[in-house]
Amino acid sequence: MKILNFTIIKLTICLVIGILIGYFIPIPIMMALYFTLAVSLLLGFTYFIARKQFFKTIWFGITAFILIISIGALTVNIHNQQNFNNHYTKHLLNEDDSSHAITFRIREVLKPNTYYNKYVIDILQVDEKQSQGKSLLSIKKDTLKPPLNVDAILSTKSNFNSLGYPLNPFQFDYESYLEKKYIYHQVSLKPTELFLISDNTHTVFGYANATRQFINSKLKKHHFKPDELAVINALFLGQRQDLSEDIYSDYRNAGAIHILAISGLHIGVILILLNWVLKPMERLKFGKLQKTIFILIILWSFAVIAGLTASVTRAVTMFSIVAIANNLKRPTNIYNTLAISIFVILLLKPLYIFDVGFQLSYMAVLAIVYIDPMIYKLWQPKNKLLDIYWHTITISIAAQFGIAPLLLFYFHQFAGLFLLSSIIIIPPLAIILGLGIVVILMASLNILPAFLADFFGYIISGMNYIMSVISQQDSFIFNDVHFTIWHVLTSYLIIFSIIQIFKNYKFSNLKWALLAVIGFQCALIYTNFRKPSNQLVVFHKSRFSMIGNTMQNKLSVAHDLDSMALLKNSTIKNYTVGHSINNIEYNKLQSIYLLKGKKFLIVDSLNTYHIKSFNPDYVLLRQSPKINLNRLIDSIHPKYIIADGSNYKSYTKQWKAVCKKRKLPFHDTHEKGAFIIEY
């Protein structure tokens, strides 16, 4: 069966192309709209012509594909509220202008950090002007002030701050991540700066949050441990904010993090239970139709309660199509089902295409559908229990083929014991999910027996313990793997071509496999070619200094961090993984670095810079030295002044003004990020 023979798959590919074009190429929304309308008229014309022709031409199909691509680009523009005049950014002169009177509604509660509670908010008014758009809100924690609820409407007077770009090489780009969610600014406040207007629930997100709070209030009466309750929230309510760092790390290192994300397995179990419970409805007139409608309502209500994440939306959309097909008694093709669900989701949420969970979900399902039957046929045991475990193994292996390249690309990690985790957890997981649904329903109705709550708590604790034991096998966890987008593409080409060889051994498939291997080798060569041979980096680190000097694939790091701060710092790890550097050594900071004819001088709080006949190219100011910068410039005549994150901001502001007046280049890592010297 050739997958591309299905029309919906071709149309879905065209929609994805259109979304990518609309995102990466700035197209005015009216131009996209007029072009889409023009192509629609052209499609109608070609259809009218094609009806009268005996021999069909390709023009109707080409026009249809162009139309879908155009719809994809238009969809991106329509969903971007910045394209409309009432977006709040239209009222801002610049990102850091004066304060505004802001009225907003809490849309989503995010995972808090040590000092702040975090939320996503809908902007309602800016300076009494009706507005729309989303922003990030950070509120300083106060033990006397409870966290805000979804749908609460508040007002404040504050300014919109930029989200901030990465200040060090290969650092996670949080600004880009939020922009794909149409969030462009953040507002930071103290609790005393907020004025509550309304705390009423009136949106679907508010009711979903209230439902989650209600369920949690009922579960807390049964004295579940914090980690147990956090895992229950992740498994059944799609909320992972309360997961401790240790629990999350254990599941990730054990290769079982997907268990904590509501996906096809969870929704499949719910669909099976609903089909069984609602089976009697089929005896009624139009009972099967009513049953299907009831199932769809329950599935989508659950999706809303779970937060409509990418994986939940994907799973519910796919199983909704399956439920409808069963009602119509139509045979379903899994590739068609997947394509329809992708098409529908991307029409409603086009930037889900960049969501890691969305990509992992679909690649896992595609790999299972495509690869699992081939592996499963290698051995079909007669024993039922043995067959269950064998099928669990084949599904896990197939899924890993689908997601391993993406895991290495996004997280630079691969859990070698994923198979052991799957063998232990996956077979009983359906029972755990079914029992969990019963526990939540009984707790909500105040009829949950204590012994059942305790039993379920023991099961969750046991699952956490197993993940903890597996995750401690460090020799099976492959960390800090350098993997680029070219490695990802060539890896998938290798996997696909090898599977094709096993399915149908012929020269053309072998040829594609060899080309894929050559492509992967080219990616490795390109990576080695891009490695910095001689590079000095002044990293940004608040209150500390950190310099990395790379020579011949060896990184020498000089710093003044204590051992605990160095252990928690990820800056060096990001840099070494990004450049595939394996050899690292740590040293103390020196006063002078000679970089192949270029001189680099460090001036710290000791104020030592009077060196005869020494004119440095670069001067790094660190630890807020009390110097007269004009006198320093006149004395040693530097070509560039750098201030790192260890300095007081008031000092860097003064130095910046002096350099501007003297027309001397100045680099502040607080503003511009790490300073890199190639030599």
Side-chain angles (χ1 to χ4, degrees):
M1 183 188 300
K2 293 184 178 180
I3 297 176
L4 290 179
N5 285 345
F6 296 108
T7 302
I8 185 61
I9 294 176
K10 296 177 184 176
L11 295 177
T12 301
I13 292 172
C14 290
L15 182 67
V16 170
I17 293 171
I19 290 171
L20 294 176
I21 291 173
Y23 181 78
F24 289 108
I25 301 175
I27 302 173
I29 186 170
M30 295 310 297
M31 180 185 294
L33 177 61
Y34 291 145
F35 184 79
T36 302
L37 292 174
V39 177
S40 300
L41 293 174
L42 182 60
L43 181 66
F45 177 74
T46 54
Y47 175 73
F48 180 77
I49 297 297
R51 286 180 60 191
K52 297 180 178 288
Q53 290 181 333
F54 183 76
F55 295 103
K56 303 301 180 184
T57 63
I58 63 171
W59 295 111
F60 176 78
I62 291 174
T63 308
F65 294 149
I66 293 174
L67 176 62
I68 297 300
I69 292 173
S70 177
I71 289 174
L74 179 61
T75 302
V76 173
N77 279 280
I78 290 175
H79 281 81
N80 187 359
Q81 295 177 339
Q82 259 192 329
N83 289 325
F84 299 96
N85 290 330
N86 61 345
H87 193 265
Y88 74 90
T89 54
K90 306 298 182 183
H91 308 314
L92 310 182
L93 297 176
N94 56 66
E95 291 187 346
D96 296 309
D97 61 350
S98 58
S99 296
H100 298 273
I102 308 168
T103 303
F104 59 87
R105 177 175 55 234
I106 303 295
R107 180 186 180 93
E108 183 182 352
V109 181
L110 302 178
K111 186 180 180 70
N113 61 22
T114 308
Y115 304 105
Y116 288 91
N117 290 316
K118 292 182 174 290
Y119 308 88
V120 175
I121 60 174
D122 288 322
I123 304 297
L124 304 178
Q125 283 186 353
V126 174
D127 295 331
E128 299 183 354
K129 296 178 182 177
Q130 296 295 322
S131 304
Q132 65 173 351
K134 294 192 292 184
S135 180
L136 192 67
L137 172 65
S138 298
I139 301 177
K140 196 168 185 178
K141 284 185 174 179
D142 186 341
T143 54
L144 300 177
K145 298 283 186 180
L148 300 174
N149 290 322
V150 175
D151 273 359
I153 298 177
L154 304 103
S155 66
T156 188
K157 191 170 182 62
S158 180
N159 58 330
F160 290 93
N161 301 315
S162 61
L163 295 169
Y165 51 86
L167 295 176
N168 288 303
F170 304 104
Q171 183 180 341
F172 175 67
D173 193 344
Y174 193 51
E175 180 182 34
S176 176
Y177 168 78
L178 288 177
E179 282 183 354
K180 292 183 178 68
K181 298 179 180 293
Y182 304 112
I183 298 173
Y184 305 100
H185 294 90
Q186 61 181 335
V187 179
S188 297
L189 300 169
K190 297 177 182 177
T192 54
E193 296 175 322
L194 287 167
F195 177 74
L196 181 65
I197 297 175
S198 170
D199 200 22
N200 297 327
T201 300
H202 54 276
T203 70
V204 66
F205 298 105
Y207 286 113
N209 184 68
T211 303
R212 292 193 295 266
Q213 289 181 340
F214 171 78
I215 292 172
N216 272 284
S217 67
K218 297 296 184 180
L219 291 174
K220 286 177 181 177
K221 293 179 181 179
H222 295 276
H223 308 294
F224 288 103
K225 296 177 182 176
D227 283 342
E228 293 172 359
L229 195 59
V231 171
I232 291 171
N233 270 276
L235 280 173
F236 300 98
L237 301 177
Q239 304 301 302
R240 299 198 287 184
Q241 295 97 322
D242 296 328
L243 287 173
S244 67
E245 192 63 37
D246 290 339
I247 289 291
Y248 186 85
S249 178
D250 287 343
Y251 277 82
R252 182 189 62 202
N253 292 336
I257 192 64
H258 59 282
I259 292 173
L260 298 179
I262 295 177
S263 58
L265 178 61
H266 304 69
I267 305 302
V269 170
I270 293 173
L271 182 60
I272 291 170
L273 289 173
L274 289 174
N275 272 319
W276 177 66
V277 172
L278 301 177
K279 187 76 173 174
M281 287 183 66
E282 295 182 7
R283 299 173 187 172
L284 304 173
K285 187 179 181 181
F286 305 114
K288 198 154 190 178
L289 175 62
Q290 295 171 7
K291 172 189 166 186
T292 302
I293 294 172
F294 200 57
I295 286 174
L296 292 178
I297 291 172
I298 294 175
L299 287 180
W300 281 102
S301 298
F302 177 75
V304 171
I305 292 173
L308 285 175
T309 60
S311 59
V312 176
T313 306
R314 186 270 307 169
V316 171
T317 302
M318 190 171 67
F319 280 103
S320 295
I321 296 167
V322 171
I324 293 170
N326 287 339
N327 175 63
L328 297 175
K329 295 182 179 179
R330 297 276 183 89
T332 57
N333 177 281
I334 187 62
Y335 295 111
N336 264 344
T337 303
L338 285 172
I340 292 170
S341 65
I342 294 173
F343 193 91
V344 172
I345 291 170
L346 292 184
L347 274 180
L348 299 175
K349 296 281 187 178
L351 295 193
Y352 265 4
I353 193 68
F354 299 107
D355 188 277
V356 179
F358 182 87
Q359 296 173 14
L360 290 173
S361 295
Y362 276 104
M363 290 309 301
V365 174
L366 282 170
I368 290 170
V369 172
Y370 188 67
I371 301 174
D372 174 63
M374 184 192 69
I375 304 176
Y376 181 66
K377 286 179 183 177
L378 296 175
W379 181 46
Q380 294 180 326
K382 304 290 185 183
N383 184 279
K384 187 72 174 176
L385 184 62
L386 199 59
D387 182 66
I388 290 173
Y389 273 94
W390 169 240
H391 206 181
T392 300
I393 292 171
T394 61
I395 288 174
S396 299
I397 293 173
Q400 287 299 319
F401 275 117
I403 66 176
L406 287 176
L407 290 174
L408 290 170
F409 175 66
Y410 285 114
F411 307 109
H412 306 290
Q413 183 188 70
F414 183 76
L417 292 178
F418 73 89
L419 199 56
L420 178 61
S421 304
S422 299
I423 292 172
I424 295 173
I425 296 298
I426 298 297
L429 187 60
I431 298 173
I432 293 171
L433 292 174
L435 180 60
I437 292 171
V438 172
V439 166
I440 288 174
L441 289 175
M442 294 182 74
S444 300
L445 297 172
N446 295 318
I447 57 173
L448 177 63
F451 78 89
L452 185 59
D454 293 339
F455 177 67
F456 188 63
Y458 292 144
I459 291 176
I460 298 298
S461 288
M463 189 167 69
N464 292 345
Y465 176 75
I466 291 170
M467 292 299 104
S468 175
V469 172
I470 294 175
S471 69
Q472 291 172 14
Q473 314 309 311
D474 294 337
S475 56
F476 294 96
I477 301 172
F478 305 96
N479 286 312
D480 304 338
V481 180
H482 176 76
F483 219 71
T484 67
I485 187 63
W486 301 112
H487 293 115
V488 173
L489 297 175
T490 52
S491 294
Y492 279 126
L493 191 56
I494 289 173
I495 292 169
F496 177 77
S497 55
I498 289 176
I499 298 302
Q500 285 296 101
I501 289 173
F502 276 99
K503 286 191 171 185
N504 186 10
Y505 183 79
K506 57 183 181 180
F507 178 74
S508 61
N509 289 335
L510 180 62
K511 178 179 67 176
W512 281 110
L514 293 174
L515 287 174
V517 171
I518 292 171
F520 191 82
Q521 290 175 329
C522 290
L524 292 175
I525 293 170
Y526 177 74
T527 298
N528 286 324
F529 177 76
R530 294 279 295 175
K531 283 183 181 180
S533 55
N534 297 93
Q535 186 182 83
L536 185 137
V537 183
V538 179
F539 295 103
H540 175 76
K541 175 62 179 172
S542 181
R543 296 183 297 147
F544 295 97
S545 295
M546 192 160 52
I547 297 174
N549 192 11
T550 304
M551 292 184 293
Q552 303 302 322
N553 201 32
K554 178 181 179 181
L555 177 65
S556 177
V557 181
H559 64 92
D560 59 357
L561 283 77
D562 57 55
S563 57
M564 287 301 296
L566 185 63
L567 187 65
K568 294 179 180 179
N569 185 47
S570 60
T571 301
I572 300 301
K573 176 183 173 181
N574 293 335
Y575 182 81
T576 53
V577 172
H579 281 309
S580 188
I581 296 173
N582 299 318
N583 197 351
I584 311 170
E585 66 177 18
Y586 292 91
N587 301 304
K588 292 184 178 179
L589 287 162
Q590 302 175 21
S591 297
I592 298 172
Y593 290 87
L594 299 177
L595 313 173
K596 285 189 177 180
K598 296 180 180 179
K599 301 170 187 177
F600 187 92
L601 173 67
I602 296 179
V603 177
D604 56 21
S605 55
L606 296 178
N607 262 343
T608 304
Y609 64 86
H610 297 289
I611 304 174
K612 292 183 179 180
S613 68
F614 182 77
N615 301 116
D617 296 274
Y618 304 93
V619 171
L620 171 64
L621 305 176
R622 60 175 294 268
Q623 294 299 341
S624 305
K626 295 179 180 179
I627 59 170
N628 186 316
L629 188 57
N630 280 303
R631 189 179 300 166
L632 181 146
I633 295 170
D634 293 333
S635 174
I636 59 177
H637 307 290
K639 298 177 182 176
Y640 220 116
I641 303 291
I642 308 152
D644 68 6
S646 66
N647 297 291
Y648 297 129
K649 289 186 178 181
S650 58
Y651 281 42
T652 57
K653 188 176 180 180
Q654 294 173 12
W655 297 333
K656 182 179 180 180
V658 170
C659 289
K660 184 177 181 180
K661 188 175 181 180
R662 300 287 297 260
K663 296 183 179 179
L664 184 67
F666 179 79
H667 185 101
D668 177 14
T669 62
H670 274 289
E671 294 182 355
K672 300 179 181 179
F675 185 77
I676 300 175
I677 303 172
E678 303 282 354
Y679 64 93

